[in-house]
Amino acid sequence: MKDVTQLDEGWSLRHGQELLEATVPGCVHTDLLTAGVIPDPFIGLHENEVAWVGRRAWTYVRELGHDSAHERTDLVFDGLDTAAYVTLDGRPVGTTRNMHRRHRFDVTGRTGRLEVRFASAYDEAAAVRAVTGERPNVYPEPSQYIRKMASSFGWDWGPTLVTAGIWRPVRLEHWSTARIAHVRPLVTVDEGTGRVEVRLEAERTPQGRGRTLRAEARLAGAHAEAVLTGDEAVLRLEVPGPRLWWPRGYGEQPLYDLHLTLSDDEGRPLDTWHRRVGFRTVGLDRAADEHGTGFTLVVNGVRIFARGVNWIPDDAFPSRITPERYRTRLTQAAEANIDLVRVWGGGIYEDDAFYDACDELGLMVWQDFLFACSAYPEEQPLRGEVEAEARDNVVRLMPHPSLVLWNGNNENLWGFRDWDWEPALAGDSWGEGYYLGLLPRIVAELDPTRPYTAGSPWSGSWDHHPNDPAHGTHHSWEVWNRKDYAEYRDSVPRFVAEFGWQAPPALATLRRALPGEELALDSPGMLHHQKAEDGNGKLNRGVGRHFPLPEGDFDRWHYLTQLVQARAVAAGIEHWRSHWPVCAGTIVWQLNDCWPVTSWAAIDSDGRPKPLHHELRRVYADRLLTLQPATDGLVLAAVNQAAEPWRTAVTLRRWGAEGTLIHESVLGIAAEPRSVVRLPVPHDLLPDGRSGKEFLVADADADADADADADARARARARARVGAGADGLRAVHFPVADKDFAYPRPVYDVGVEPVTGQRDRVDVVVSARTLVRDLLLQTDRLGPAAVGDRGLLTLLPGEQVRIRVTGCATVDVEDVRSALYCVDTA
């Protein structure tokens, strides 16, 4: 049987004449940080002080000895970042130039000093550029000339920290006769029978050539065997009536253990392979219709509105991301009712722990191939690396049932058409041959069970503009860059694969990242940790369209920017969900951050949810109530993405700003599963937009299943009067901007109640005496570890809400009052 020796200890990093202790997996930056050579680049302005690290060559060393009796010993690197020259006892072992693939070298019988010498990524990129020629790029960095995490070179949310190192595990594999080289399980379901076609490829030693090998596969009681006289075999398993894997919200996520054993002709095991698989079908409906060209995911025959987020590397130093951290962040996604995570093309193919968590949590994965915002040369030495990388990662990731879509690139087809690339290229290659040729061929050959799309955005062909909202996927960035968030309602794209709005991280995160700094919009640290072009200008314009800008009041500005971020994203999602099935999905930019920064993220780099995270939980819930402006008034839209019908009564109340109920009515809602009901709001309930003193509230129970008869209407009225919006579904409509509305001075009572038997938990009880709009308890102001179970809340006079706070032992009313914010323009 194959033996494996992990090589995670005994490494040193050569720094000048010193040898520093190195952590493997790891990177140069983290080793230098541990040794005290550099400051933490995430803190203050220190990023600038460590720029030299990425421009130097580095060497990792350790002694390598082994006395295996096996015929063959391989040195296996799961990830080298990036251009490396490997030697053993002073003799060459191999060279690498790709962070995104695995490398295997024969070191049979060799021992001595193992050295991995990394060239500067800048030097490697310059050498490739000298061969291929210049190509356009959105950023002034050479990311397209090296197969490395593009965002290492900086992005509009990320630092420029150009890493190097042994960033994934390294080991010795000792084996004889033959080993399992590749396994491709093609998992399908046909008429209630699960089928797994296991395609096996073996590698042999010279002594193993010509010997008969046996392969055996087992899964859920099914068993298959094959005899190999060559190096390949196909084993077919059938499982009658398997339980299907579903995205979260649609069913359960059963997983089945698939075991494969390779043996010699005498039945002695040589190597084993194990993965978990799930039975489901996945398709992509791109049919043309009266609205354009669709883009709808179909899982197990069910058409799905995708409730998604974009995922970037969770740390600028990806080797620090543990399986526990993946699980925590993805659980936060699931708690926000997210069912799809897009792994964005400027990052990495994530660790298997990421996809394992998605399998178990029911999070569909849209996987980009790693090309982003640049024109990529298609010549050597890059083309061969691109093909090897794609083949490696398709085979590695295809067992995961959560993976539902391969995507060729991020924004490069759009960039060619709209970003002045075409004249600059003057006929040179730029990546089209990858996205429309090489990559779809590889997916069709290796993983035909999943759909492939050439890019995001992409209209499906050059017959339409690449970012045409009526065809395929669309990226909506004009609103954030130039408009008010209300203008998301101006169109109904077929699938919104990127859109978003910025906000700063939590205050506790800012204080940790900018110690000693008096926080201000233009303070040095705040400016440095804002990477977007004119980011603060766009933030201020976004706030200024709705509120007076709070001059010199950072805390108020911080609250308003986080409020506007949540409102903006909610405005887009509510509008687009209300137009299902024309629009079949939204993917918010972005879920997470890789360092402390003002960005589009819903969860900051310290893991603290912004108000946007709580708002995603509301607008991505199975059932959503929303009031949408229409040409002749308002529409009440009831979105039911659940598998059961939704029968409820919705109480509509037209209010005066000072707390007077002007008119009230109840509408019956009957929404079938996976459907949307749109009803016009009666004219007498429409608030007078000219006065700036009226607004409309709609309340319903999230889980109600009542006929809209008289009793149900009475129950709806009773629930509404005691604040159904706090625990049910609430939609509000204010016909004018906040700064033009006659808000009363908000008045509310605050209480703090201990939770019996829970020392670190309290309930904060807020009772409204007036209209209180977008109340927010910023729990991190109560303590760095404090977390609340609610986000933004609008309370009517007489309503009460209870907010459970975890992670703070002692807190009093004054502490809570100082952490409570709401809209206040009086």
Side-chain angles (χ1 to χ4, degrees):
M1 176 68 77
K2 180 176 72 177
D3 292 332
V4 176
T5 304
Q6 298 296 334
L7 302 179
D8 55 354
E9 296 180 350
W11 289 93
S12 298
L13 173 67
R14 186 173 293 140
H15 174 54
Q17 300 303 311
E18 294 183 84
L19 284 178
L20 306 177
E21 184 177 346
T23 298
V24 172
C27 74
V28 171
H29 286 83
T30 53
D31 288 334
L32 295 176
L33 183 59
T34 299
V37 175
I38 62 171
D40 188 339
F42 287 13
I43 303 299
L45 308 184
H46 293 164
E47 176 197 354
N48 296 333
E49 300 175 34
V50 304
W52 60 272
V53 176
R55 295 187 176 275
R56 280 191 48 179
W58 296 93
T59 299
Y60 282 80
V61 299
R62 64 157 287 162
E63 292 301 317
L64 184 66
H66 57 90
D67 56 358
S68 172
H70 277 287
E71 299 167 13
R72 171 84 171 263
T73 297
D74 288 342
L75 176 61
V76 183
F77 294 96
D78 283 342
L80 291 172
D81 177 16
T82 293
Y85 178 54
V86 184
T87 62
L88 182 56
D89 197 27
R91 293 183 295 157
V93 170
T95 59
T96 74
R97 59 192 336 146
N98 194 325
M99 177 182 184
H100 305 305
R101 55 176 291 208
R102 294 167 290 189
H103 296 88
R104 176 180 293 268
F105 304 108
D106 183 354
V107 293
T108 304
R110 298 175 60 179
T111 60
R113 170 156 287 208
L114 175 62
E115 294 196 354
V116 184
R117 305 171 192 168
F118 291 96
S120 160
Y122 285 103
D123 292 344
E124 169 69 9
V128 172
R129 180 168 49 196
V131 173
T132 64
E134 294 282 345
R135 297 295 193 280
N137 187 344
V138 171
Y139 298 102
E141 295 281 342
S143 61
Q144 71 268 52
Y145 305 106
I146 182 170
R147 296 309 299 158
K148 173 178 175 56
M149 183 173 86
S151 57
S152 286
F153 293 95
W155 221 260
D156 56 5
W157 38 257
T160 301
L161 295 168
V162 181
T163 52
I166 305 171
W167 77 288
R168 279 186 167 158
V170 55
R171 61 191 173 276
L172 290 176
E173 293 188 0
H174 314 281
W175 54 283
S176 299
T177 306
R179 71 174 185 92
I180 297 173
H182 300 292
V183 179
R184 292 190 296 116
L186 302 176
V187 183
T188 58
V189 184
D190 183 24
E191 296 183 349
T193 298
R195 292 186 169 85
V196 182
E197 183 179 284
V198 182
R199 293 190 167 268
L200 164 67
E201 182 180 340
E203 181 184 8
R204 298 172 183 260
T205 64
Q207 295 90 330
R209 290 180 189 143
R211 293 186 62 178
T212 299
L213 303 175
R214 299 183 183 278
E216 179 183 23
R218 294 183 180 275
L219 171 78
H223 172 258
E225 294 185 2
V227 175
L228 288 76
T229 55
D231 295 335
E232 297 181 356
V234 179
L235 297 89
R236 294 180 173 85
L237 300 162
E238 290 193 358
V239 179
R243 297 168 60 216
L244 298 183
W245 184 95
W246 288 94
R248 66 177 314 279
Y250 288 81
E252 297 180 348
Q253 293 79 43
L255 299 169
Y256 293 82
D257 289 293
L258 173 59
H259 294 274
L260 183 66
T261 302
L262 182 68
S263 304
D264 64 15
D265 50 1
E266 297 180 8
R268 292 173 296 201
L270 301 172
D271 200 357
T272 61
W273 181 95
H274 165 254
R275 295 291 187 278
R276 293 183 305 171
V277 299
F279 290 98
R280 89 285 181 273
T281 62
V282 59
L284 184 61
D285 185 350
R286 290 183 269 204
D289 57 26
E290 67 272 25
H291 303 288
T293 309
F295 193 93
T296 305
L297 285 166
V298 184
V299 179
N300 297 328
V302 176
R303 299 169 66 82
I304 289 176
F305 181 98
R307 296 169 277 188
V309 286
N310 283 274
W311 171 277
I312 66 170
D314 205 51
D315 197 313
F317 305 130
S319 58
R320 296 198 298 199
I321 308 173
T322 63
E324 293 76 21
R325 183 162 161 184
Y326 277 127
R327 178 78 54 170
T328 296
R329 198 71 68 245
L330 292 167
T331 298
Q332 288 176 305
E335 289 170 349
N337 292 314
I338 289 158
D339 62 18
L340 181 144
V341 178
R342 176 192 172 205
V343 181
W344 167 77
I348 59 175
Y349 304 98
E350 299 289 343
D351 187 82
D352 280 313
F354 172 92
Y355 304 93
D356 287 341
C358 290
D359 291 343
E360 295 169 16
L361 292 167
L363 295 170
M364 295 179 288
V365 176
W366 160 326
Q367 178 67 56
D368 281 14
F369 288 101
L370 300 185
F371 304 89
C373 300
S374 302
Y376 286 80
E378 297 176 35
E379 292 77 30
Q380 298 292 8
L382 290 177
R383 186 177 183 86
E385 288 295 338
V386 166
E387 178 165 359
E389 167 193 320
R391 289 182 175 278
D392 192 352
N393 286 284
V394 168
V395 170
R396 177 172 74 90
L397 300 182
M398 61 184 290
H400 294 281
S402 56
L403 179 57
V404 298
L405 181 69
W406 294 104
N407 175 53
N409 74 89
N410 177 76
E411 297 191 344
N412 293 342
L413 296 160
W414 180 21
F416 178 76
R417 180 55 52 88
D418 274 5
W419 300 347
D420 297 323
W421 289 2
E422 192 166 1
L425 286 164
D428 286 344
S429 66
W430 55 276
E432 181 184 27
Y434 295 148
Y435 320 134
L436 299 179
L438 176 65
L439 296 176
R441 286 199 300 271
I442 289 173
V443 172
E445 173 194 344
L446 299 179
D447 187 19
T449 67
R450 288 180 179 86
Y452 169 88
T453 184
S456 184
W458 179 233
S459 59
S461 78
W462 289 114
D463 293 339
H464 306 288
H465 187 282
N467 200 30
D468 188 334
H471 299 277
T473 50
H474 175 68
H475 288 194
S476 178
W477 284 117
E478 281 298 296
V479 172
W480 155 251
N481 284 318
R482 296 174 180 85
K483 301 177 181 179
D484 180 44
Y485 62 73
E487 295 180 69
Y488 282 131
R489 303 187 186 106
D490 289 349
S491 68
V492 183
R494 305 312 303 269
F495 193 108
V496 187
E498 280 189 21
F499 79 107
W501 205 272
Q502 272 201 347
L507 190 67
T509 302
L510 286 173
R511 286 175 173 160
R512 185 193 64 79
L514 306 175
E517 180 166 309
E518 185 176 345
L519 297 177
L521 176 61
D522 58 354
S523 60
M526 286 296 296
L527 290 176
H528 185 74
H529 289 249
Q530 163 63 277
K531 296 296 187 178
E533 182 180 1
D534 190 31
N536 285 352
K538 293 171 185 176
L539 276 175
N540 283 343
R541 288 190 289 276
V543 170
R545 293 182 180 105
H546 297 267
F547 302 94
L549 278 172
E551 298 294 336
D553 187 343
F554 180 82
D555 287 346
R556 191 73 189 168
W557 176 86
H558 182 270
Y559 160 73
L560 290 176
T561 52
Q562 290 203 336
L563 167 61
V564 171
Q565 180 191 39
R567 279 198 194 175
V569 172
I573 293 174
E574 289 186 31
H575 167 66
W576 293 319
R577 281 193 75 185
S578 75
H579 285 278
W580 162 262
V582 177
C583 180
T586 56
I587 308 182
V588 177
W589 188 270
Q590 65 215 62
L591 176 69
N592 58 327
D593 270 330
C594 67
W595 80 312
V597 65
T598 296
S599 82
W600 297 264
I603 302 167
D604 72 24
S605 63
D606 283 11
R608 295 188 174 95
K610 298 181 188 178
L612 173 58
H613 181 264
H614 293 280
E615 196 69 352
L616 287 176
R617 184 172 60 188
R618 180 184 70 85
V619 296
Y620 271 164
D622 280 351
R623 289 171 174 172
L624 171 68
L625 205 63
T626 178
L627 291 163
Q628 293 292 315
T631 54
D632 54 352
L634 286 174
V635 167
L636 174 68
V639 180
N640 181 27
Q641 206 161 343
E644 301 79 25
W646 185 19
R647 307 279 189 265
T648 191
V650 178
T651 301
L652 293 162
R653 288 173 290 168
R654 178 181 171 189
W655 285 90
E658 74 288 351
T660 302
L661 181 60
I662 299 170
H663 191 66
E664 177 181 359
S665 185
V666 177
L667 294 180
I669 294 290
E672 296 305 312
R674 325 291 190 200
S675 72
V676 177
V677 172
R678 296 171 62 91
L679 298 175
V681 173
H683 183 75
D684 54 5
L685 287 165
L686 297 177
D688 182 359
R690 296 168 298 178
S691 70
K693 296 181 179 180
E694 295 181 6
F695 63 102
L696 180 64
V697 177
D699 282 311
D701 275 355
D703 300 316
D705 189 16
D707 295 325
D709 56 16
D711 288 341
R713 296 181 187 214
R715 291 194 297 273
R717 288 191 184 95
R719 285 193 300 271
R721 291 192 182 100
V722 297
D727 294 300
L729 298 182
R730 167 164 286 176
V732 298
H733 172 71
F734 288 74
V736 297
D738 296 80
K739 60 187 179 182
D740 299 323
F741 190 78
Y743 285 107
R745 176 71 67 184
V747 179
Y748 50 85
D749 298 323
V750 177
V752 178
E753 300 177 3
V755 178
T756 304
Q758 302 286 333
R759 292 185 178 180
D760 69 336
R761 298 186 180 188
V762 297
D763 280 349
V764 172
V765 182
V766 180
S767 304
R769 295 176 178 266
T770 64
L771 167 66
V772 180
R773 180 138 194 232
D774 286 319
L775 178 76
L776 177 66
L777 177 61
Q778 295 189 341
T779 53
D780 62 294
R781 292 175 180 264
L782 303 177
V787 178
D789 66 348
R790 296 180 186 271
L792 296 160
L793 294 161
T794 291
L795 301 178
L796 303 176
E799 291 186 338
Q800 184 181 91
V801 66
R802 184 175 295 267
I803 305 169
R804 175 65 54 86
V805 180
T806 304
C808 56
T810 59
V811 62
D812 60 29
V813 169
E814 289 309 310
D815 293 331
V816 171
R817 279 197 174 274
S818 67
L820 280 168
Y821 285 79
C822 66
V823 172
D824 185 358
T825 62

